[in-house]
Amino acid sequence: EVIRQIIDELARSDDWSQKNLKATATLLSTQVGLEPAIVELAAQRFAYGVKPLSEAVIKEQQAIADSFTELKLLPKRIVVRDAVYQPKQ
């Protein structure tokens, strides 16, 4: 229930941000240290919305995690799917 509420709130925040690009840019520009016009351009190009991870993304992330394990950047193998949120049907 808590995760669903967080996802719903993120969706509302994304919706507001997309509809209020100038205000979004003003808020974020002070945090990232860039001019509002630059942040607004980036905000226009941003892919808004919270979506579940696709199989392709999960596989890609697993390949990256496996590479990091092989390079000894991770101490043990991570199974990405174990960390993917699966909403109850």
Side-chain angles (χ1 to χ4, degrees):
E1 178 62 25
V2 172
I3 292 173
R4 186 189 60 73
Q5 290 177 0
I6 291 169
I7 290 171
D8 289 347
E9 189 58 35
L10 286 170
R12 281 191 288 279
S13 174
D14 279 357
D15 185 54
W16 183 89
S17 296
Q18 190 173 24
K19 291 177 180 174
N20 299 279
L21 292 174
K22 285 198 183 301
T24 298
T26 299
L27 288 169
L28 293 177
S29 66
T30 56
Q31 294 177 13
V32 298
L34 295 172
E35 294 294 320
I38 294 169
V39 178
E40 185 176 354
L41 179 60
Q44 290 170 357
R45 295 176 177 172
F46 184 74
Y48 290 88
V50 178
K51 300 172 187 89
L53 295 178
S54 68
E55 280 300 314
V57 170
I58 293 170
K59 287 179 182 177
E60 182 178 304
Q61 292 297 305
Q62 186 63 60
I64 293 168
D66 291 344
S67 293
F68 283 6
T69 302
E70 290 172 19
L71 293 169
K72 307 291 188 222
L73 296 172
L74 294 173
K76 64 178 185 172
R77 184 173 189 271
I78 293 173
V79 179
V80 172
R81 186 171 304 285
D82 291 348
V84 174
Y85 171 67
Q86 301 286 331
K88 293 180 183 176
Q89 301 298 337

